[in-house]
Amino acid sequence: MKEMLEKHRIKRNVLFWGKQALQMIKLLLLFAIGYGVLFNLGNLSLHKICETAYFYGMIIGIMFAFVEAISYFSAYMPLVISFGSTRREAVWGTQLMNLIYSGLAYVIILLLGLLSTGKTIAWINISVAGAFLLMTGIGQFCSVAQIRFGQKGLITGIATAVLVAVVGIIIGIGYANKLVSWAETLSVSIMTVLLTLVLAVSALFYGVSLFVLFKSVKNLEVKM
């Protein structure tokens, strides 16, 4: 009986967090395709729509990874704990949510890129994967700041992350062509080393954020 209740609780946890991830995917598709159509009303060809959707889908998709790690955690973590989920299960539930969202969002971005350019660019795709890990980790650190310092910690964390993201986007847009040209001049071995470092640093940052999140959730006060 106890084992059945345990399985039921875990299943309920998985379904709950999985549903949140799918909701975010729906929003990503809506924004990406919506921008693709909106900015190409004079030329509604599949290529142009996918090209625009790819660009905005990449930016929005990565930012959603950050938003999801903060908003859904803040809104639903206390709820699932108050309804019987253990803290460990709840944290792993959020990681499942992150995995489902980031995995599906990444596939969508890859497909849009393929439809818009007719090819896949490995270094861009790997950099995007690293960005998903990095932004999710930053979002989790913001959630930790909220747990430890309340709304002031959350606001400070979000403001800092948004500032860094905006500066990064501006630099990326302004120097996109130069970055692509520079990357094409690098040898395969140098590019491999750089991309490996990007993924390793992003994965390490995400791992540290998860460890700190586990520690902080132990002190999370849940109001019934």
Side-chain angles (χ1 to χ4, degrees), residues 76-166:
Y76 297 120
M77 176 64 74
L79 178 66
V80 296
I81 293 176
S82 66
F83 277 99
S85 174
T86 67
R87 293 168 187 266
R88 179 173 290 275
E89 286 172 355
V91 174
W92 282 122
T94 63
Q95 302 316 298
L96 175 66
M97 175 184 68
N98 295 336
L99 177 63
I100 293 174
Y101 166 73
S102 296
L104 290 177
Y106 187 65
V107 170
I108 290 170
I109 290 170
L110 289 183
L111 289 175
L112 289 173
L114 185 60
L115 289 171
S116 64
T117 63
K119 60 182 180 179
T120 59
I121 303 175
W123 72 269
I124 292 180
N125 296 336
I126 294 174
S127 297
V128 169
F132 270 107
L133 285 170
L134 184 63
M135 294 307 292
T136 301
I138 293 174
Q140 292 189 151
F141 271 119
C142 288
S143 294
V144 169
Q146 182 184 26
I147 293 173
R148 296 192 173 183
F149 306 107
Q151 290 300 316
K152 290 182 179 179
L154 178 62
I155 292 171
T156 302
I158 291 176
T160 302
V162 170
L163 178 62
V164 172
V166 169

Coordinates of all heavy atoms in Angstrom, one line a residue, residues 76-166:
Y76 N 4.7 27.4 -8.0 CA 4.2 26.0 -7.8 C 5.0 25.2 -6.8 O 4.5 24.2 -6.3 CB 4.2 25.3 -9.1 CG 3.2 25.9 -10.1 CD1 3.7 26.4 -11.4 CD2 1.9 26.0 -9.8 CE1 2.8 27.0 -12.3 CE2 1.0 26.6 -10.7 CZ 1.5 27.1 -12.0 OH 0.6 27.6 -12.9
M77 N 6.2 25.6 -6.5 CA 7.0 24.8 -5.5 C 6.3 24.7 -4.2 O 6.1 23.6 -3.7 CB 8.4 25.3 -5.4 CG 9.2 24.6 -4.3 SD 9.6 22.9 -4.7 CE 10.8 23.0 -6.0
P78 N 5.9 25.8 -3.6 CA 5.2 25.7 -2.3 C 3.9 24.9 -2.4 O 3.5 24.2 -1.5 CB 4.9 27.1 -1.9 CG 5.9 27.9 -2.7 CD 6.1 27.2 -3.9
L79 N 3.2 25.0 -3.6 CA 1.9 24.4 -3.8 C 2.1 22.8 -3.8 O 1.3 22.1 -3.1 CB 1.3 24.8 -5.1 CG 0.0 24.1 -5.5 CD1 -1.1 24.6 -4.6 CD2 -0.4 24.5 -7.0
V80 N 3.0 22.3 -4.5 CA 3.2 20.9 -4.6 C 3.6 20.3 -3.3 O 3.3 19.2 -2.9 CB 4.1 20.4 -5.8 CG1 3.6 20.8 -7.1 CG2 5.5 21.0 -5.6
I81 N 4.5 21.0 -2.5 CA 4.9 20.6 -1.2 C 3.7 20.5 -0.3 O 3.6 19.6 0.5 CB 6.0 21.5 -0.7 CG1 7.3 21.3 -1.5 CG2 6.3 21.1 0.8 CD1 8.4 22.3 -1.1
S82 N 2.9 21.6 -0.3 CA 1.7 21.6 0.6 C 0.7 20.5 0.3 O -0.1 20.1 1.1 CB 1.0 23.0 0.5 OG 0.5 23.2 -0.8
F83 N 0.7 20.0 -1.0 CA -0.2 18.9 -1.4 C 0.4 17.5 -1.2 O -0.1 16.6 -1.7 CB -0.7 19.1 -2.8 CG -1.8 20.1 -2.9 CD1 -1.6 21.4 -3.3 CD2 -3.1 19.6 -2.6 CE1 -2.7 22.3 -3.4 CE2 -4.2 20.5 -2.7 CZ -4.0 21.8 -3.1
G84 N 1.6 17.4 -0.5 CA 2.1 16.1 -0.2 C 3.4 15.7 -0.8 O 4.0 14.7 -0.5
S85 N 3.9 16.5 -1.8 CA 5.2 16.1 -2.4 C 6.3 16.4 -1.5 O 6.3 17.4 -0.8 CB 5.3 16.9 -3.7 OG 6.6 16.7 -4.3
T86 N 7.3 15.5 -1.5 CA 8.5 15.8 -0.6 C 9.3 16.9 -1.3 O 9.2 17.2 -2.5 CB 9.4 14.6 -0.5 OG1 9.9 14.2 -1.7 CG2 8.6 13.4 0.1
R87 N 10.2 17.6 -0.6 CA 11.0 18.7 -1.2 C 11.9 18.1 -2.2 O 12.1 18.8 -3.3 CB 11.7 19.4 0.0 CG 10.8 20.1 0.9 CD 11.5 20.6 2.2 NE 10.5 21.2 3.1 CZ 10.2 22.5 3.2 NH1 10.8 23.3 2.4 NH2 9.3 22.9 4.0
R88 N 12.5 17.0 -2.0 CA 13.4 16.4 -3.0 C 12.6 16.1 -4.3 O 13.1 16.4 -5.4 CB 14.0 15.1 -2.4 CG 15.0 14.4 -3.4 CD 15.7 13.3 -2.7 NE 16.6 13.8 -1.7 CZ 17.9 14.2 -2.0 NH1 18.3 14.1 -3.2 NH2 18.7 14.6 -1.1
E89 N 11.5 15.5 -4.1 CA 10.7 15.2 -5.3 C 10.3 16.4 -6.1 O 10.3 16.4 -7.3 CB 9.4 14.4 -4.9 CG 9.6 13.0 -4.5 CD 8.4 12.3 -3.9 OE1 7.4 13.0 -3.8 OE2 8.4 11.1 -3.6
A90 N 9.9 17.5 -5.3 CA 9.5 18.7 -5.9 C 10.7 19.3 -6.7 O 10.5 19.8 -7.9 CB 9.0 19.7 -4.9
V91 N 11.9 19.3 -6.2 CA 13.0 19.9 -6.9 C 13.3 19.0 -8.1 O 13.6 19.6 -9.2 CB 14.3 19.9 -6.0 CG1 15.5 20.4 -6.8 CG2 14.0 20.9 -4.8
W92 N 13.3 17.7 -8.0 CA 13.5 16.9 -9.2 C 12.4 17.1 -10.2 O 12.6 17.0 -11.4 CB 13.6 15.4 -8.8 CG 14.9 15.0 -8.2 CD1 15.2 14.5 -7.0 CD2 16.2 15.2 -8.9 NE1 16.6 14.3 -6.8 CE2 17.2 14.7 -8.0 CE3 16.6 15.7 -10.1 CZ2 18.6 14.8 -8.3 CZ3 18.0 15.7 -10.4 CH2 18.9 15.2 -9.5
G93 N 11.2 17.4 -9.7 CA 10.1 17.7 -10.7 C 10.4 18.9 -11.5 O 10.1 19.0 -12.7
T94 N 11.0 20.0 -10.9 CA 11.3 21.2 -11.6 C 12.4 20.9 -12.6 O 12.4 21.5 -13.7 CB 11.8 22.3 -10.7 OG1 13.0 21.9 -10.0 CG2 10.7 22.7 -9.7
Q95 N 13.3 19.9 -12.3 CA 14.4 19.6 -13.2 C 13.8 18.8 -14.4 O 14.3 19.0 -15.6 CB 15.4 18.7 -12.5 CG 16.1 19.4 -11.3 CD 16.4 20.9 -11.6 OE1 17.3 21.2 -12.5 NE2 15.8 21.8 -10.9
L96 N 12.8 18.0 -14.2 CA 12.1 17.3 -15.3 C 11.4 18.4 -16.2 O 11.5 18.3 -17.4 CB 11.0 16.4 -14.7 CG 10.2 15.7 -15.8 CD1 11.0 14.7 -16.6 CD2 9.0 14.9 -15.1
M97 N 10.8 19.4 -15.5 CA 10.2 20.4 -16.3 C 11.2 21.1 -17.2 O 11.0 21.4 -18.4 CB 9.5 21.4 -15.3 CG 8.9 22.7 -16.0 SD 8.3 23.8 -14.8 CE 9.8 24.4 -14.0
N98 N 12.4 21.5 -16.6 CA 13.4 22.1 -17.3 C 13.9 21.2 -18.5 O 14.2 21.7 -19.6 CB 14.6 22.4 -16.4 CG 14.3 23.4 -15.3 OD1 13.4 24.2 -15.5 ND2 15.0 23.4 -14.2
L99 N 14.0 19.9 -18.2 CA 14.5 19.0 -19.3 C 13.5 18.9 -20.4 O 13.9 19.0 -21.6 CB 14.7 17.6 -18.7 CG 15.2 16.5 -19.6 CD1 16.5 16.9 -20.2 CD2 15.2 15.2 -18.9
I100 N 12.2 18.8 -20.1 CA 11.2 18.7 -21.2 C 11.2 19.9 -22.0 O 11.2 19.9 -23.2 CB 9.9 18.3 -20.6 CG1 9.9 16.9 -19.9 CG2 8.8 18.4 -21.6 CD1 8.6 16.6 -19.2
Y101 N 11.1 21.1 -21.3 CA 11.0 22.3 -22.0 C 12.3 22.6 -22.9 O 12.1 22.8 -24.1 CB 10.8 23.5 -21.0 CG 11.1 24.8 -21.8 CD1 10.1 25.3 -22.7 CD2 12.3 25.5 -21.6 CE1 10.4 26.5 -23.4 CE2 12.5 26.7 -22.4 CZ 11.6 27.1 -23.2 OH 11.8 28.2 -24.0
S102 N 13.4 22.5 -22.2 CA 14.7 22.8 -23.0 C 14.9 21.8 -24.1 O 15.3 22.2 -25.2 CB 15.9 22.8 -22.0 OG 15.8 23.8 -21.1
G103 N 14.6 20.5 -23.9 CA 14.7 19.5 -25.0 C 13.8 19.8 -26.2 O 14.3 19.8 -27.3
L104 N 12.5 20.1 -25.9 CA 11.6 20.3 -27.0 C 11.9 21.7 -27.6 O 11.8 21.8 -28.9 CB 10.2 20.3 -26.4 CG 9.6 18.9 -26.0 CD1 8.2 19.1 -25.4 CD2 9.6 18.0 -27.2
A105 N 12.2 22.7 -26.8 CA 12.5 24.0 -27.4 C 13.7 23.9 -28.3 O 13.8 24.6 -29.4 CB 12.7 25.0 -26.3
Y106 N 14.7 23.2 -27.9 CA 15.9 23.0 -28.7 C 15.7 22.3 -30.0 O 16.2 22.8 -31.0 CB 17.0 22.2 -27.9 CG 18.3 22.1 -28.5 CD1 19.1 23.2 -28.6 CD2 18.8 20.9 -28.9 CE1 20.4 23.2 -29.2 CE2 20.1 20.8 -29.5 CZ 20.9 21.9 -29.6 OH 22.1 21.8 -30.2
V107 N 14.8 21.3 -30.0 CA 14.5 20.6 -31.2 C 13.7 21.6 -32.2 O 13.9 21.6 -33.4 CB 13.6 19.4 -30.9 CG1 13.0 18.8 -32.2 CG2 14.4 18.3 -30.2
I108 N 12.8 22.4 -31.6 CA 12.0 23.3 -32.4 C 13.0 24.3 -33.1 O 12.9 24.6 -34.3 CB 11.0 24.1 -31.5 CG1 9.9 23.1 -31.1 CG2 10.4 25.3 -32.3 CD1 9.0 23.7 -30.1
I109 N 13.9 24.8 -32.3 CA 14.9 25.8 -32.8 C 15.8 25.1 -33.9 O 16.0 25.8 -35.0 CB 15.8 26.3 -31.7 CG1 15.0 27.2 -30.8 CG2 17.0 27.1 -32.3 CD1 15.7 27.6 -29.5
L110 N 16.2 23.9 -33.7 CA 17.0 23.2 -34.7 C 16.2 23.0 -36.0 O 16.7 23.2 -37.1 CB 17.4 21.8 -34.2 CG 18.5 21.8 -33.1 CD1 18.8 20.3 -32.8 CD2 19.7 22.5 -33.6
L111 N 14.9 22.7 -35.9 CA 14.0 22.5 -37.1 C 13.8 23.8 -37.8 O 13.9 23.8 -39.1 CB 12.7 21.9 -36.7 CG 12.7 20.4 -36.2 CD1 11.4 19.9 -35.7 CD2 13.2 19.5 -37.4
L112 N 13.6 24.9 -37.1 CA 13.4 26.2 -37.7 C 14.7 26.6 -38.4 O 14.6 27.2 -39.5 CB 13.0 27.2 -36.7 CG 11.6 27.1 -36.1 CD1 11.4 28.1 -34.9 CD2 10.5 27.3 -37.2
G113 N 15.8 26.4 -37.8 CA 17.1 26.7 -38.4 C 17.3 25.9 -39.7 O 17.8 26.4 -40.7
L114 N 16.9 24.6 -39.7 CA 17.1 23.8 -40.9 C 16.2 24.2 -42.0 O 16.5 24.3 -43.2 CB 16.8 22.3 -40.5 CG 17.0 21.3 -41.6 CD1 18.5 21.3 -42.0 CD2 16.6 19.9 -41.1
L115 N 14.9 24.6 -41.6 CA 14.0 25.1 -42.6 C 14.3 26.4 -43.2 O 14.1 26.7 -44.4 CB 12.6 25.1 -42.0 CG 11.9 23.8 -41.7 CD1 10.6 24.0 -40.9 CD2 11.6 23.0 -43.0
S116 N 15.0 27.2 -42.4 CA 15.3 28.6 -42.9 C 16.7 28.6 -43.7 O 16.8 29.4 -44.6 CB 15.4 29.6 -41.7 OG 16.5 29.2 -40.8
T117 N 17.6 27.8 -43.3 CA 18.9 27.8 -44.0 C 19.2 26.6 -44.8 O 20.1 26.6 -45.7 CB 20.0 28.0 -43.0 OG1 20.1 26.8 -42.1 CG2 19.8 29.2 -42.1
G118 N 18.4 25.5 -44.6 CA 18.7 24.3 -45.4 C 19.8 23.5 -44.8 O 20.2 22.5 -45.4
K119 N 20.4 23.9 -43.7 CA 21.5 23.2 -43.1 C 21.6 23.5 -41.6 O 20.9 24.4 -41.1 CB 22.9 23.6 -43.8 CG 23.2 25.1 -43.6 CD 24.5 25.5 -44.3 CE 24.8 27.0 -44.1 NZ 26.1 27.4 -44.7
T120 N 22.4 22.7 -40.9 CA 22.6 22.9 -39.5 C 24.0 23.4 -39.3 O 25.0 22.9 -39.9 CB 22.4 21.7 -38.7 OG1 23.3 20.6 -39.2 CG2 21.0 21.1 -38.8
I121 N 24.2 24.4 -38.5 CA 25.5 25.0 -38.1 C 25.9 24.5 -36.7 O 25.3 25.0 -35.8 CB 25.5 26.5 -38.2 CG1 25.0 27.0 -39.6 CG2 26.9 27.1 -37.9 CD1 24.8 28.5 -39.8
A122 N 26.8 23.6 -36.7 CA 27.1 22.9 -35.4 C 27.5 23.8 -34.3 O 27.0 23.7 -33.2 CB 28.3 21.9 -35.7
W123 N 28.3 24.8 -34.6 CA 28.8 25.7 -33.5 C 27.7 26.5 -32.9 O 27.6 26.8 -31.7 CB 30.0 26.5 -33.9 CG 29.7 27.7 -34.8 CD1 29.7 27.7 -36.2 CD2 29.3 29.0 -34.4 NE1 29.4 28.9 -36.7 CE2 29.1 29.8 -35.7 CE3 29.2 29.7 -33.2 CZ2 28.8 31.1 -35.7 CZ3 28.8 31.0 -33.2 CH2 28.6 31.7 -34.4
I124 N 26.7 27.0 -33.8 CA 25.6 27.7 -33.3 C 24.7 26.8 -32.4 O 24.2 27.2 -31.3 CB 24.8 28.3 -34.4 CG1 25.6 29.4 -35.1 CG2 23.4 28.9 -33.9 CD1 24.9 30.1 -36.3
N125 N 24.4 25.6 -32.9 CA 23.6 24.7 -32.2 C 24.1 24.3 -30.8 O 23.4 24.2 -29.8 CB 23.3 23.4 -33.0 CG 22.6 23.7 -34.3 OD1 21.9 24.7 -34.4 ND2 22.8 22.8 -35.3
I126 N 25.4 24.1 -30.8 CA 26.0 23.7 -29.5 C 26.0 24.9 -28.5 O 25.8 24.8 -27.3 CB 27.5 23.2 -29.7 CG1 27.4 21.9 -30.5 CG2 28.2 23.0 -28.4 CD1 28.8 21.4 -30.9
S127 N 26.2 26.1 -29.1 CA 26.2 27.4 -28.3 C 24.8 27.6 -27.7 O 24.7 28.0 -26.5 CB 26.6 28.6 -29.1 OG 27.9 28.4 -29.6
V128 N 23.8 27.3 -28.5 CA 22.4 27.4 -28.0 C 22.1 26.4 -26.9 O 21.5 26.8 -25.9 CB 21.4 27.2 -29.2 CG1 20.0 27.1 -28.7 CG2 21.5 28.3 -30.2
A129 N 22.6 25.2 -27.0 CA 22.5 24.2 -25.9 C 23.1 24.7 -24.7 O 22.5 24.6 -23.6 CB 23.1 22.9 -26.4
G130 N 24.3 25.3 -24.8 CA 25.0 25.8 -23.6 C 24.2 27.0 -23.0 O 24.1 27.1 -21.8
A131 N 23.6 27.8 -23.9 CA 22.8 28.9 -23.4 C 21.6 28.5 -22.6 O 21.2 29.1 -21.6 CB 22.4 29.8 -24.6
F132 N 21.0 27.4 -23.0 CA 19.8 26.9 -22.3 C 20.2 26.4 -20.9 O 19.6 26.7 -19.9 CB 19.2 25.7 -23.0 CG 18.1 26.0 -24.0 CD1 18.4 25.9 -25.4 CD2 16.9 26.4 -23.6 CE1 17.4 26.3 -26.3 CE2 15.9 26.7 -24.5 CZ 16.1 26.7 -25.8
L133 N 21.4 25.7 -20.8 CA 21.9 25.3 -19.5 C 22.2 26.5 -18.6 O 21.9 26.6 -17.4 CB 23.1 24.4 -19.7 CG 22.9 23.0 -20.2 CD1 24.2 22.4 -20.5 CD2 22.2 22.2 -19.1
L134 N 22.9 27.5 -19.2 CA 23.3 28.7 -18.5 C 22.2 29.5 -18.0 O 22.1 29.9 -16.8 CB 24.2 29.5 -19.4 CG 24.8 30.8 -18.7 CD1 25.8 30.4 -17.6 CD2 25.5 31.6 -19.8
M135 N 21.2 29.8 -18.8 CA 20.0 30.6 -18.4 C 19.1 29.9 -17.4 O 18.6 30.5 -16.5 CB 19.2 31.0 -19.6 CG 19.9 31.9 -20.6 SD 20.6 33.4 -19.8 CE 19.1 34.3 -19.3
T136 N 19.0 28.5 -17.5 CA 18.3 27.8 -16.5 C 19.0 27.9 -15.2 O 18.4 28.0 -14.1 CB 18.2 26.3 -16.9 OG1 17.5 26.2 -18.2 CG2 17.4 25.5 -15.9
G137 N 20.3 27.8 -15.2 CA 21.1 27.9 -14.0 C 20.9 29.3 -13.3 O 20.8 29.4 -12.1
I138 N 21.0 30.3 -14.1 CA 20.8 31.7 -13.6 C 19.4 31.8 -13.0 O 19.2 32.4 -11.9 CB 21.0 32.7 -14.7 CG1 22.5 32.7 -15.2 CG2 20.6 34.1 -14.3 CD1 22.7 33.6 -16.4
G139 N 18.4 31.2 -13.7 CA 17.0 31.3 -13.1 C 16.9 30.6 -11.8 O 16.3 31.1 -10.9
Q140 N 17.6 29.5 -11.7 CA 17.6 28.7 -10.4 C 18.3 29.5 -9.3 O 17.9 29.5 -8.1 CB 18.2 27.3 -10.6 CG 17.3 26.5 -11.4 CD 17.7 25.0 -11.5 OE1 16.9 24.1 -11.7 NE2 19.0 24.7 -11.3
F141 N 19.4 30.2 -9.6 CA 20.1 31.0 -8.6 C 19.1 32.2 -8.2 O 19.2 32.6 -7.0 CB 21.4 31.6 -9.2 CG 22.6 30.7 -9.0 CD1 23.3 30.2 -10.0 CD2 23.0 30.4 -7.7 CE1 24.4 29.4 -9.8 CE2 24.1 29.6 -7.5 CZ 24.8 29.1 -8.5
C142 N 18.3 32.7 -9.1 CA 17.4 33.8 -8.7 C 16.3 33.2 -7.8 O 15.9 33.9 -6.8 CB 16.7 34.3 -10.0 SG 17.8 35.4 -11.0
S143 N 15.9 32.0 -8.0 CA 15.0 31.3 -7.1 C 15.6 31.1 -5.7 O 14.9 31.3 -4.7 CB 14.5 30.0 -7.7 OG 13.8 30.1 -8.9
V144 N 16.8 30.8 -5.7 CA 17.6 30.6 -4.4 C 17.6 32.0 -3.7 O 17.4 32.1 -2.5 CB 19.0 30.1 -4.6 CG1 19.8 30.2 -3.4 CG2 18.9 28.7 -5.1
A145 N 17.9 33.1 -4.5 CA 17.9 34.4 -3.9 C 16.6 34.8 -3.3 O 16.5 35.4 -2.2 CB 18.3 35.4 -4.9
Q146 N 15.5 34.3 -3.9 CA 14.2 34.6 -3.4 C 13.9 33.9 -2.1 O 13.4 34.4 -1.1 CB 13.1 34.2 -4.4 CG 11.7 34.6 -3.9 CD 10.6 34.1 -4.9 OE1 10.8 33.2 -5.6 NE2 9.5 34.8 -4.8
I147 N 14.4 32.6 -2.0 CA 14.2 31.8 -0.8 C 15.0 32.4 0.3 O 14.4 32.5 1.5 CB 14.7 30.3 -1.1 CG1 13.8 29.6 -2.1 CG2 14.7 29.6 0.2 CD1 14.3 28.3 -2.5
R148 N 16.2 32.9 0.1 CA 17.0 33.4 1.2 C 16.8 34.8 1.5 O 16.9 35.2 2.7 CB 18.5 33.1 0.8 CG 18.8 31.7 0.6 CD 20.3 31.4 0.5 NE 20.7 30.0 0.5 CZ 21.9 29.6 0.5 NH1 22.9 30.4 0.5 NH2 22.1 28.3 0.6
F149 N 16.5 35.6 0.5 CA 16.4 37.1 0.8 C 15.0 37.7 0.5 O 14.8 38.9 0.5 CB 17.5 37.8 0.0 CG 18.8 37.3 0.3 CD1 19.5 36.6 -0.7 CD2 19.5 37.5 1.5 CE1 20.8 36.1 -0.5 CE2 20.7 37.0 1.7 CZ 21.4 36.3 0.7
G150 N 14.0 36.8 0.1 CA 12.7 37.3 -0.2 C 12.6 38.0 -1.6 O 13.5 37.8 -2.5
Q151 N 11.6 38.9 -1.7 CA 11.4 39.6 -3.0 C 12.6 40.5 -3.4 O 12.9 40.6 -4.6 CB 10.1 40.4 -2.9 CG 8.9 39.6 -2.8 CD 8.7 38.7 -4.0 OE1 8.9 39.2 -5.2 NE2 8.3 37.5 -3.8
K152 N 13.3 41.1 -2.4 CA 14.4 41.9 -2.8 C 15.5 41.1 -3.5 O 16.1 41.6 -4.4 CB 15.0 42.6 -1.5 CG 14.1 43.6 -0.9 CD 14.7 44.3 0.3 CE 13.8 45.3 0.9 NZ 14.4 46.0 2.1
G153 N 15.7 39.9 -3.0 CA 16.7 39.0 -3.6 C 16.3 38.6 -5.0 O 17.2 38.6 -5.9
L154 N 15.0 38.3 -5.2 CA 14.5 37.9 -6.5 C 14.7 39.1 -7.5 O 15.1 38.9 -8.6 CB 13.1 37.5 -6.4 CG 12.4 37.1 -7.7 CD1 13.1 35.9 -8.3 CD2 10.9 36.8 -7.4
I155 N 14.2 40.3 -7.1 CA 14.3 41.4 -7.9 C 15.7 41.8 -8.3 O 16.0 42.1 -9.5 CB 13.6 42.7 -7.3 CG1 12.1 42.4 -7.1 CG2 13.9 43.9 -8.1 CD1 11.4 43.4 -6.3
T156 N 16.6 41.7 -7.4 CA 18.0 42.0 -7.7 C 18.6 41.0 -8.6 O 19.3 41.3 -9.6 CB 18.9 42.0 -6.4 OG1 18.4 42.9 -5.5 CG2 20.3 42.3 -6.7
G157 N 18.3 39.7 -8.4 CA 18.8 38.6 -9.3 C 18.2 38.8 -10.7 O 19.0 38.6 -11.7
I158 N 16.9 39.0 -10.8 CA 16.3 39.2 -12.1 C 16.9 40.4 -12.9 O 17.2 40.3 -14.1 CB 14.8 39.3 -12.0 CG1 14.2 38.0 -11.6 CG2 14.2 39.7 -13.4 CD1 12.7 38.1 -11.3
A159 N 17.0 41.5 -12.2 CA 17.5 42.7 -12.8 C 19.0 42.5 -13.3 O 19.3 43.0 -14.4 CB 17.5 43.9 -11.7
T160 N 19.8 41.8 -12.5 CA 21.1 41.6 -13.0 C 21.2 40.7 -14.2 O 21.9 40.9 -15.2 CB 21.9 40.9 -11.8 OG1 21.9 41.7 -10.7 CG2 23.4 40.6 -12.3
A161 N 20.3 39.6 -14.1 CA 20.3 38.6 -15.3 C 19.8 39.3 -16.5 O 20.3 39.1 -17.6 CB 19.4 37.4 -14.9
V162 N 18.7 40.1 -16.4 CA 18.1 40.7 -17.6 C 19.1 41.7 -18.2 O 19.3 41.8 -19.4 CB 16.8 41.5 -17.2 CG1 16.4 42.4 -18.3 CG2 15.8 40.5 -16.8
L163 N 19.9 42.5 -17.3 CA 20.8 43.4 -17.8 C 21.9 42.7 -18.6 O 22.3 43.1 -19.7 CB 21.5 44.2 -16.6 CG 22.6 45.2 -17.0 CD1 22.0 46.3 -17.9 CD2 23.2 45.8 -15.7
V164 N 22.4 41.6 -18.1 CA 23.4 40.8 -18.8 C 22.9 40.3 -20.1 O 23.6 40.3 -21.1 CB 24.0 39.7 -17.9 CG1 24.9 38.8 -18.7 CG2 24.7 40.2 -16.7
A165 N 21.7 39.8 -20.1 CA 21.0 39.2 -21.3 C 20.8 40.2 -22.3 O 21.1 40.0 -23.5 CB 19.7 38.5 -20.9
V166 N 20.3 41.4 -21.9 CA 20.1 42.5 -22.9 C 21.4 42.9 -23.6 O 21.5 43.1 -24.8 CB 19.4 43.7 -22.2 CG1 19.4 44.9 -23.1 CG2 18.0 43.3 -21.8

